Amino acid sequence: YQRRVRGHERRTMQARGRIMSAIPRVACGSSSLTTASARKRVDWNEMRVRYVTPILSQMPEEWQGTTFSNDRRLQGRAEFARNISRMILRKEADGTPITADELRETGYADDYFRVGSNVSTLLEMAASAQRQIPLDQVFTFASSTMPVVAVLLTAELPVRVYYPVGEDPPFNAAGLSVIELLGVDVSFQQGEPQADPSSVVLEVKPFDDGACVHTVADAVVTPNLLAVFDPEKIKPANVHTIRKRMATPMTTPMAMAALREHGATTVLNQEQQVSADAMIAMPAESEIQEFHAHLQELSGTDVDVSANPVVFTAGLPALASVFVALLQNGGSDLVMCSTAYGGSSQLNDLLMSRTGNHRKFTFDVQGDTDICESIQQQLTALASQPGPVLPTTVLFLETPTNPDMKVPEMDKIAAMLNKHKHKTGKEVLLLLDTTFAPQAKLMCQLETMAPELPVMNFISMSKSVSRGKTTSGAVIANHTHQSKSLLRAVAEVAAVLDTTAKPDQLQFLAQNHRGVEARNEKAYAVAAAMGDTLRGAVRQTCGYDMPLAFVSPEHAAQGYTSSTFSFNLPPQRGASQLETDRLAQRFVELLCRHPLFKPCVSFGQDNGLVYATVPATSTQGAIKAEDKAKQEVGGVQLARLSFPPECDVDAISRVLVDTVSTLYKT
């Protein structure tokens, strides 16, 4: 794994020039660059020369973040592209310079970097113009192999992959054996692609020679980029799902480096050039090892360089590699919360659609449900199920749970899993998600309670560990042989899918992981104080003692220092059903009129902002409606607030009190 990580810097530098082949360097018309009032074709090469530099120089700081407001500013890729195009046409007409405010007015292509960013979308705009296909048929990837995998997983026909004579196929025999676990039907052939209506024809090219516009292939992969030419054979929406659940777009620093090289007139001063080069270079090996050791310490297991954590481009690619690695051992039955993060749920649904050796079962935690009793019921039902038995039962457990913030009793969890193992004869694995409280050191507790229990810890690191500077995910093994063996398999799968963290991501992580424990303690204290303020405001305004779904002081003392709480506001008197249904969202919208609040899905970011969302319409988008309905109280959905370690507490308190008063005005 270390050799693969060190190789990222070399491969990144080699790929930079090849990535640029995805950007047009000749005049090319595109409907996305034309408005109703301006029918003329736009010379994209002219845009490259004249507008890449000012866009980069005036780029708003928030474009380089990981989370973007999901209010009216969220435009989607297509509308964002149109807004950029309209702005360029205006600049062509009036000759005025681009400003940061004008770029802000174009909105956001997506609300989370893991799904897409404005910068990666700019690259995709360029590639779609060159290839003369719609924007929604072009996808950048941080991974070099996931563009191919995305086609294999979405095609409904056999896939014929053509690659150049003298080049290696996209996967060697070992890599292909991993991909085939997902039920793909693929063959590889050297030479020029041949049209075949009975299959999906995919051409893989080590560089773009400009000939792809006239290709007979249904899709073409060039380094880190997929262009779909037949959207009937390869559904772009399905490709998009694969990318957001198993991969990521190109990272923002990678995309910015590509845009800088593309802009022929872009000139950086020495300080800017040093900074730009540094972001695509690997951190020192000593910094990476310190980071790995810190992840093991946070998880509560001894530092072991022979079992270093595997670090990924995002959290979901990390989980995907765990589940695919389990397929190598015959598959698994996964038991998870019915209202867990929607991305995790959809990822498992996707895997279930590809193979019969991965099954998902759910337990409830909503309301007054006892989490341990609910888990035991599902394990009992699973143990008594007739039919084929998969070799491993995995309990995937968010600790604390999201958005309910419940903390399970680990001694009971360990006892349940050991009992299940002895009753069924199956292997068991406890897969923890400690994203909300990464410093809880649960492996240490569990080693005392159940020393032979295999445990793996997962942390999504776009939150507190990176301070929101990048996306990433990590998988850490405990002391057991089974867990360490699975970790090695996870690393092998990650290498095949090329979803390990990129150099710029490791830079951010190496620079920001230190002090996460203290930051989370501060953020918890802020959240606790603001929770009291919110409850007091509701009590005074409505006469209702509103409970919070929040970790207790006792659990916080054990390391569960979550900065997030959820709550169900009381219904408004005399409100219609529609008004009651929208009450939580209305509250979020009122809060986010204030600059200290951001309508966003993430948390744990050290930027002075409070993140507000309604999980049922954001992070739980892929969850069943009947499961989300169980979170309602009096017909009102949960709202969630997440607090930073440093912020203007007095101002935030005033906003909370005033917003409650405004919401319940008669």
Side-chain angles (χ1 to χ4, degrees):
Y1 172 65
Q2 284 295 324
R3 287 195 298 273
R4 287 192 296 272
V5 169
R6 287 194 296 270
H8 272 308
E9 180 180 8
R10 172 178 52 79
R11 291 194 298 272
T12 299
M13 296 302 292
Q14 290 174 344
R16 285 175 67 177
R18 297 198 304 268
I19 288 171
M20 298 323 305
S21 64
I23 313 300
R25 296 180 179 271
V26 296
C28 180
S30 171
S31 59
S32 68
L33 298 175
T34 306
T35 66
S37 61
R39 299 292 185 184
K40 66 178 182 179
R41 289 180 179 271
V42 173
D43 186 329
W44 191 266
N45 193 54
E46 181 73 7
M47 176 198 169
R48 174 181 66 84
V49 173
R50 297 184 57 184
Y51 293 104
V52 166
T53 298
I55 286 175
L56 290 177
S57 65
Q58 294 298 315
M59 183 180 295
E61 182 180 357
E62 56 266 29
W63 280 27
Q64 300 182 50
T66 57
T67 59
F68 314 108
S69 296
N70 58 8
D71 54 13
R72 60 178 178 78
R73 290 166 286 183
L74 180 58
Q75 302 291 303
R77 283 205 302 167
E79 187 60 27
F80 168 76
R82 283 190 285 269
N83 290 342
I84 287 288
S85 302
R86 294 181 188 116
M87 181 193 68
I88 290 170
L89 288 171
R90 288 198 305 272
K91 296 302 153 185
E92 283 287 283
D94 61 30
T96 59
I98 290 174
T99 67
D101 285 341
E102 287 176 311
L103 290 172
R104 289 188 179 94
E105 289 173 2
T106 62
Y108 297 115
D110 283 292
D111 66 348
Y112 202 0
F113 159 74
R114 181 181 50 73
V115 180
S117 72
N118 287 3
V119 183
S120 64
T121 302
L122 288 173
L123 280 174
E124 290 161 349
M125 287 175 64
S128 71
Q130 183 195 33
R131 288 156 175 77
Q132 301 177 26
I133 56 177
L135 174 64
D136 67 355
Q137 292 173 214
V138 178
F139 301 90
T140 67
F141 287 80
S143 164
S144 61
T145 58
M146 279 303 299
V148 177
V149 175
V151 174
L152 301 182
L153 295 182
T154 56
E156 297 178 359
L157 296 171
V159 180
R160 306 288 177 250
V161 179
Y162 290 84
Y163 62 97
V165 174
E167 297 284 344
D168 293 329
F171 303 103
N172 59 22
L176 184 59
S177 69
V178 171
I179 301 301
E180 288 177 335
L181 291 169
L182 297 173
V184 302
D185 184 352
V186 60
S187 61
F188 297 90
Q189 183 173 336
Q190 288 187 329
E192 294 296 320
Q194 303 297 314
D196 183 355
S198 64
S199 66
V200 171
V201 177
L202 176 63
E203 184 178 13
V204 177
K205 307 174 77 168
F207 58 89
D208 190 350
D209 57 8
C212 63
V213 172
H214 306 292
T215 183
V216 300
D218 301 310
V220 175
V221 169
T222 50
N224 300 83
L225 190 136
L226 168 65
V228 176
F229 287 90
D230 189 338
E232 294 301 317
K233 284 187 176 180
I234 305 166
K235 300 293 192 296
N238 295 342
V239 172
H240 189 256
T241 298
I242 295 295
R243 188 178 73 171
K244 71 179 180 179
R245 298 310 184 209
M246 295 183 69
T248 66
M250 284 179 61
T251 68
T252 296
M254 286 172 65
M256 289 180 67
L259 283 167
R260 286 192 185 101
E261 291 195 20
H262 179 60
T265 60
T266 299
V267 178
L268 300 180
N269 62 38
Q270 184 175 5
E271 182 180 351
Q272 291 171 325
Q273 187 64 57
V274 169
S275 177
D277 289 344
M279 283 314 303
I280 58 172
M282 287 292 292
E285 188 169 344
S286 60
E287 292 182 299
I288 295 176
Q289 192 53 55
E290 179 190 354
F291 171 55
H292 286 163
H294 192 193
L295 289 176
Q296 291 173 322
E297 291 166 3
L298 290 170
S299 301
T301 192
D302 291 339
V303 175
D304 183 354
V305 296
S306 70
N308 276 328
V310 185
V311 183
F312 292 78
T313 55
L316 289 178
L319 291 174
S321 286
V322 172
F323 300 139
V324 173
L326 286 164
L327 289 175
Q328 294 179 303
N329 295 325
S332 60
D333 288 323
L334 181 77
V335 179
M336 65 182 294
C337 177
S338 62
T339 51
Y341 171 49
S344 300
S345 182
Q346 190 178 34
L347 167 64
N348 283 285
D349 292 340
L350 189 158
L351 294 174
M352 283 198 301
S353 73
R354 300 298 313 181
T355 173
N357 289 335
H358 183 83
R359 303 188 298 185
K360 183 183 79 172
F361 303 87
T362 61
F363 59 88
D364 289 342
V365 299
Q366 304 94 316
D368 296 329
T369 302
D370 182 281
I371 184 172
C372 288
E373 290 180 5
S374 186
I375 292 171
Q376 183 59 71
Q377 289 173 5
Q378 186 53 255
L379 288 174
T380 299
L382 181 59
S384 61
Q385 271 199 349
V389 176
L390 296 179
T392 304
T393 296
V394 180
L395 176 58
F396 181 31
L397 190 58
E398 296 173 332
T399 49
T401 61
N402 175 29
D404 309 82
M405 293 294 123
K406 292 184 177 180
V407 177
E409 298 171 77
M410 284 298 152
D411 55 343
K412 292 184 179 180
I413 296 296
M416 282 189 282
L417 286 174
N418 281 332
K419 180 181 177 181
H420 184 79
K421 178 180 180 178
H422 294 143
K423 182 178 180 179
T424 64
K426 297 173 64 174
E427 295 298 322
V428 295
L429 171 69
L430 177 56
L431 176 58
L432 298 170
D433 179 349
T434 61
T435 300
F436 277 88
Q439 71 274 39
K441 299 186 177 182
L442 295 180
M443 286 179 173
C444 182
Q445 299 178 35
L446 287 160
E447 184 176 0
T448 301
M449 299 169 182
E452 296 182 0
L453 178 65
V455 182
M456 299 196 82
N457 193 29
F458 160 75
I459 308 173
S460 174
M461 296 186 294
S462 61
K463 286 77 176 178
S464 57
V465 174
S466 74
R467 298 173 57 234
K469 302 296 185 181
T470 190
T471 60
S472 187
V475 177
I476 303 101
N478 78 340
H479 63 284
T480 61
H481 169 75
Q482 297 96 320
S483 185
K484 291 180 180 181
S485 177
L486 179 58
L487 186 71
R488 288 191 291 272
V490 169
E492 292 169 0
V493 172
V496 172
L497 302 181
D498 188 27
T499 51
T500 51
K502 305 311 172 191
D504 60 270
Q505 295 179 300
L506 291 170
Q507 286 276 7
F508 282 122
L509 292 164
Q511 294 164 8
N512 291 284
H513 71 92
R514 303 176 191 88
V516 64
E517 299 94 333
R519 292 196 299 270
N520 284 351
E521 288 171 4
K522 289 181 179 179
Y524 167 78
V526 171
M530 295 302 93
D532 290 342
T533 296
L534 178 61
R535 294 188 67 204
V538 172
R539 190 181 304 114
Q540 181 173 353
T541 303
C542 306
Y544 173 64
D545 189 14
M546 182 183 72
L548 293 184
F550 192 34
V551 294
S552 67
E554 294 76 19
H555 284 136
Q558 298 171 23
Y560 294 98
T561 48
S562 171
S563 64
T564 298
F565 60 71
S566 301
F567 51 94
N568 298 91
L569 291 163
Q572 296 165 310
R573 290 189 181 91
S576 67
Q577 184 61 55
L578 179 61
E579 289 170 328
T580 300
D581 290 342
R582 289 201 74 256
L583 185 64
Q585 187 60 45
R586 175 64 176 155
F587 183 65
V588 167
E589 290 169 357
L590 288 173
L591 287 175
C592 293
R593 290 179 177 179
H594 301 270
L596 291 173
F597 287 76
K598 184 175 182 179
C600 211
V601 299
S602 194
F603 56 90
Q605 306 211 355
D606 188 9
N607 57 10
L609 299 178
V610 181
Y611 282 16
T613 193
V614 177
T617 57
S618 57
T619 58
Q620 295 177 332
I623 299 299
K624 294 178 181 178
E626 55 266 34
D627 289 327
K628 292 187 285 190
K630 296 174 185 177
Q631 298 173 156
E632 295 179 359
V633 175
V636 179
Q637 259 295 347
L638 277 173
R640 192 183 82 183
L641 298 179
S642 301
F643 297 85
E646 303 286 346
C647 58
D648 189 337
V649 171
D650 291 339
I652 291 170
S653 295
R654 289 193 295 271
V655 172
L656 289 171
V657 172
D658 291 346
T659 301
V660 170
S661 177
T662 299
L663 190 68
Y664 290 96
K665 277 183 180 177
T666 57

